[in-house]
Amino acid sequence: MEGFPLAEVSAILGILVPALAFLWEFVVVGRKRLGYRVQMDTPVTGEVESAFPGLLTQLRPRPDGSLADLSIVLLRVENDGATTIDQHDYRVHDGVAAGLSVIFERRRVVGYAVTELSDRDLGRSLTGTSGIAIREDTERDFGVLDLPRVPLNRGDHYKLLTILRRTGGTDDYPAPRLEGRLKNGRVHENRSRTRPSPWGVALILFLVSVIAVQLTIAVTQPRAAPLDCASGRLTLTGSTALAPAIQAAATAYEKVCPDADFTADFRGSEVGLQTLNAAGSAAADNASPAMVAVSDGEKGDGYPRLLPRPVAFSLFTLVVHPDTGVADLSRANIRALYEGSITNWSELGGRDLPVRIVGRNRGSGTRQTFENQLLDGAWHPDANSTDCRTIGNPAASGPVRCERLSTAEVLTTVAALPGALGYAELGAAVPRRDVTLVRIDGHAAELRTATHGAYPFWNTEFAYTYGDPAAESLTASFLRYLTTQLGRDILRAHGNIPCDELDNPVRCRPTG
């Protein structure tokens, strides 16, 4: 049945059939329904009398004491519709108290009693002055019990026990029937609700089958990809600081667009830019390769074909080992620490621990951001240690300095070494409970403080491509996803601020 719109047809039927059932039940048939059923219709015999000696004989004795012509009927009358029935809903002439009539063919009513009320207040409508009365239709040989216009809420009922005498014939009595009419409704004989009606069962089975068809279609038919999905393979490289957010966005994109495949190669901003530039230069006709390089800050000279796209505004933070006893540094303190003029934390009011500098390798965008924003563009000295514990050259002076290749390695090293000091992207540092985030001049790393120019350690994250990628390519589609769709929420969840949420979204930097 390829090409047959099974899903659409089943969905339409799933809506149409219940709607038609509703219209039939409440519009065509009517919302008001008064139902009745005979719960007992039995002759009074000697066997019955034997259970209650002498009782039934007193009801209506014949001269010979026989009860053979007597019968007892128990009738239940109820509102089994969808709404209330009041006195004005009975279709009778004005001034007529009775609203219904119980017809007993070939029998005459000799007595009655109301035996059960679902609501005690119903008894007020079933008194002797309410219209309930016994009469005979001798022409048609009917006994009649007229019933008043009893107001019934939904589900209300009452029962009548009637004693009758045969007026003719010897065969079985015709079944009693209730006659009457309702405005916008009907009077009908119903059945006990001990089990669901066939129509109800049929409707349930139909709806279950519709659900089964829809589920089968959902499981077996491939889902159509969204309009902006693209297929192919894309390499993501560059900043290790933004790597967790970019990889999370790529994973989310793959779930929506299953024909897309991503390869991650994050080794630092400068390495990423070099890799992208080399791939583009080697491509035929300098075509844009399927690669995106993420950089902390703008590219340097030497990459004329790399085009930037601002992605997010990122905050960075200094981190120290908790044992240092320091949680706030001035910019002058920071310069002194990295220049080597302060070598022990006790000089800053902290504990007596040697300062150990844990930095990033040259080419790291995070290191470049740190040097530009906090060291006024000066390079901090290179590493003099590989294990971050001892200086490799015993003759060298100043604090221990070591370098790590990624943000995660910096954080892990700082957490493991008492006295260690490093820097990292804020989103990567915040979840860590084994390092202390350092304020700068009393200001925490927050968008508010950075926007007003109080917090200096921030940068703009750029996504670079080699030339303009084709609009339908995976590269272009992913960049749109990253900057305008769900990717923005992922960037925000990792502690970054999407560019279009800033007052200056084009430059993607604070205005303060």
Side-chain angles (χ1 to χ4, degrees):
M1 297 180 64
E2 185 175 354
F4 182 77
L6 182 59
E8 290 80 358
V9 171
S10 61
I12 292 172
L13 289 176
I15 297 173
L16 186 60
V17 171
L20 291 176
F22 176 85
L23 291 174
W24 172 262
E25 184 72 12
F26 297 115
V27 178
V28 178
V29 175
R31 299 178 65 219
K32 298 181 185 295
R33 290 186 309 192
L34 191 145
Y36 75 94
R37 62 179 176 272
V38 177
Q39 295 186 311
M40 180 177 66
D41 186 357
T42 182
V44 178
T45 66
E47 294 178 3
V48 174
E49 182 184 4
S50 65
F52 306 95
L55 177 61
L56 294 177
T57 306
Q58 301 174 23
L59 291 175
R60 198 68 175 176
R62 297 183 64 177
D64 59 2
S66 172
L67 301 175
D69 292 338
L70 291 182
S71 58
I72 297 176
V73 171
L74 180 63
L75 182 72
R76 177 188 175 103
V77 181
E78 63 184 341
N79 178 357
D80 61 355
T83 188
T84 300
I85 297 174
D86 59 34
Q87 290 182 332
H88 302 292
D89 289 321
Y90 293 89
R91 185 173 292 181
V92 295
H93 295 294
D94 293 339
V96 177
L100 302 169
S101 296
V102 188
I103 307 300
F104 302 95
E105 295 186 32
R106 302 207 306 269
R107 285 185 282 185
R108 180 167 59 89
V109 180
V110 296
Y112 66 87
V114 178
T115 62
E116 182 176 306
L117 300 171
S118 62
D119 187 334
R120 184 175 298 179
D121 290 339
L122 295 178
R124 300 175 184 176
S125 301
L126 290 164
T127 62
T129 60
S130 63
I132 188 169
I134 298 171
R135 59 186 175 88
E136 287 187 69
D137 186 338
T138 56
E139 183 177 341
R140 294 185 293 176
D141 195 16
F142 289 173
V144 181
L145 177 62
D146 289 327
L147 302 180
R149 293 178 289 172
V150 180
L152 297 170
N153 291 324
R154 182 180 179 184
D156 277 354
H157 74 272
Y158 60 92
K159 291 184 181 182
L160 292 163
L161 182 66
T162 309
I163 303 174
L164 305 113
R165 180 181 295 281
R166 182 191 294 273
T167 58
T170 58
D171 54 348
D172 292 339
Y173 309 117
R177 65 180 185 273
L178 185 67
E179 293 185 350
R181 293 190 300 171
L182 295 178
K183 300 174 184 177
N184 299 318
R186 64 190 179 107
V187 176
H188 70 113
E189 185 176 7
N190 61 17
R191 296 181 180 179
S192 175
R193 298 178 182 176
T194 56
R195 57 183 180 180
S197 68
W199 282 107
V201 172
L203 182 59
I204 292 173
L205 291 176
F206 172 78
L207 293 177
V208 169
S209 65
V210 169
I211 294 172
V213 170
Q214 293 281 7
L215 180 61
T216 302
I217 293 171
V219 172
T220 59
Q221 290 190 356
R223 295 183 180 179
L227 291 178
D228 198 31
C229 272
S231 59
R233 181 183 295 272
L234 179 63
T235 298
L236 304 173
T237 185
S239 169
T240 62
L242 201 62
I246 299 298
Q247 287 181 290
T251 300
Y253 185 96
E254 285 179 324
K255 291 180 180 179
V256 178
C257 307
D259 292 331
D261 185 36
F262 293 87
T263 300
D265 182 28
F266 293 97
R267 291 178 290 161
S269 298
E270 187 65 22
V271 174
L273 294 174
Q274 292 172 356
T275 302
L276 174 61
N277 192 61
S281 300
D285 299 325
N286 280 340
S288 180
M291 181 180 293
V292 172
V294 182
S295 173
D296 302 326
E298 296 180 278
K299 65 179 181 178
D301 296 333
Y303 305 112
R305 294 295 304 275
L306 302 191
L307 301 182
R309 288 170 177 77
V311 172
F313 174 77
S314 292
L315 297 175
F316 296 81
T317 182
L318 290 170
V319 291
V320 295
H321 189 282
D323 288 349
T324 60
V326 173
D328 186 14
L329 293 172
S330 67
R331 296 182 70 167
N333 293 152
I334 296 169
R335 284 192 293 270
L337 284 164
Y338 278 84
E339 289 170 356
S341 57
I342 295 177
T343 59
N344 194 292
W345 289 107
S346 61
E347 299 176 53
L348 296 173
R351 295 183 179 175
D352 184 15
L353 288 172
V355 175
R356 293 183 171 91
I357 304 293
V358 183
R360 290 292 306 280
N361 57 300
R362 292 202 179 278
S364 161
T366 304
R367 173 171 173 165
Q368 184 178 0
T369 299
F370 171 75
E371 292 173 339
N372 290 338
Q373 300 296 87
L374 296 180
L375 301 184
D376 298 325
W379 288 8
H380 66 66
D382 290 331
N384 58 21
S385 173
T386 57
D387 62 4
C388 299
R389 295 179 181 273
T390 57
I391 298 176
N393 181 3
S397 61
V400 171
R401 304 176 188 274
C402 63
E403 295 176 356
R404 293 294 179 259
L405 295 176
S406 70
T407 298
E409 290 181 55
V410 169
L411 291 169
T412 299
T413 303
V414 170
L417 289 176
L421 166 67
Y423 45 80
E425 193 264 336
L426 180 65
V430 166
R432 303 288 296 246
R433 295 292 180 264
D434 50 3
V435 296
T436 298
L437 276 61
V438 178
R439 292 172 175 256
I440 299 177
D441 290 322
H443 300 291
E446 298 173 349
L447 177 62
R448 177 180 57 84
T449 56
T451 300
H452 289 83
Y455 187 80
F457 198 5
W458 57 266
N459 211 340
T460 302
E461 303 290 344
F462 289 90
Y464 283 91
T465 59
Y466 190 90
D468 278 318
E472 69 278 5
S473 66
L474 177 57
T475 303
S477 176
F478 180 67
L479 289 175
R480 287 192 295 269
Y481 177 85
L482 192 63
T483 56
T484 62
Q485 301 178 30
L486 180 62
R488 291 186 306 177
D489 297 330
I490 297 174
L491 291 173
R492 193 183 301 107
H494 282 77
N496 306 285
I497 299 93
C499 291
D500 61 359
E501 295 182 6
L502 298 175
D503 293 336
N504 189 354
V506 176
R507 298 188 65 194
C508 196
R509 59 178 58 211
T511 55

